[in-house]
Amino acid sequence: SFLANILHPGGRKDRLHVDSAVPVPLPPWPIRLNINFLLTDFTEDNGATLCLPKSHKFLTLPDPKRIDIPLKKLIAPKGSLIIWTGHLWHQSGDNNTNELRYSLNAGFAASYLKDQSTEEEHLVVVDEETKKSLSPESRLMIGMDRGIKAAAMYKPNFSGTEFE
């Protein structure tokens, strides 16, 4: 998937999280690779991403009750790439400037994971009144009216083959 990450002036830090939405323990192999293309400098003050180095080896989710975890701020100039697996504990920082902080994020994931750009369950978080007022194009964009492709329902028969 490919998406934008925009932190507005005065934006507050995100919760500490991983980008591998699977049950714990997380598998010992990478199931997502993230690449952030910095379109602005990531500075001390504008909400640079924070991470806990080597936390990708923990194979678990961050404990939200632990607020004393020493995080590293990823300071880098625009044009830089930040690359990590989805297991790394990270969050956006506070944007204490009057400027936008933004990047483009590419996510390469195992086929059984939702793309990062569709991780939000729009059919749950968008209220019914809003759904009723959406254009046909907007309905499709949040996952409404898509249907199921016939091929998705096909169940092959491997009887008598090497794949049985």
Side-chain angles (χ1 to χ4, degrees):
S1 67
F2 206 59
L3 57 110
N5 181 281
I6 303 169
L7 192 58
H8 291 271
R12 297 285 125 285
K13 66 182 172 186
D14 193 8
R15 65 177 170 74
L16 190 60
H17 64 279
V18 300
D19 289 336
S20 299
V22 295
V24 291
L26 301 176
W29 58 87
I31 56 175
R32 185 181 306 276
L33 174 72
N34 296 324
I35 303 173
N36 291 10
F37 300 84
L38 306 191
L39 301 180
T40 55
D41 294 337
F42 274 38
T43 69
E44 186 69 35
D45 297 320
N46 75 350
T49 300
L50 304 162
C51 74
L52 181 59
K54 300 183 182 181
S55 59
H56 64 288
K57 296 179 181 184
F58 297 167
L59 305 180
T60 190
L61 303 177
D63 182 351
K65 296 177 187 134
R66 298 263 337 255
I67 56 172
D68 60 339
I69 298 171
L71 301 177
K72 178 177 176 60
K73 194 172 282 193
L74 302 178
I75 306 295
K78 74 178 180 181
S80 298
L81 300 178
I82 300 174
I83 303 171
W84 69 73
T85 73
H87 289 22
L88 185 73
W89 296 10
H90 66 283
Q91 67 187 123
S92 296
D94 292 330
N95 186 349
N96 296 317
T97 72
N98 293 319
E99 303 290 326
L100 290 170
R101 192 276 293 146
Y102 50 97
S103 64
L104 292 177
N105 299 351
F108 300 88
S111 61
Y112 48 83
L113 291 180
K114 278 189 162 195
D115 288 329
Q116 283 184 304
S117 60
T118 61
E119 281 181 337
E120 295 291 340
E121 291 293 351
H122 294 103
L123 298 179
V124 174
V125 299
V126 175
D127 64 89
E128 293 303 317
E129 197 61 35
T130 301
K131 287 184 211 176
K132 289 177 190 173
S133 68
L134 294 175
S135 69
E137 294 83 6
S138 294
R139 292 173 64 85
L140 284 171
M141 286 173 59
I142 68 166
M144 298 178 72
D145 308 327
R146 288 189 183 174
I148 297 174
K149 295 176 185 157
M153 301 304 291
Y154 176 74
K155 293 184 174 59
N157 180 356
F158 293 113
S159 298
T161 73
E162 64 184 293
F163 302 109
E164 185 171 31

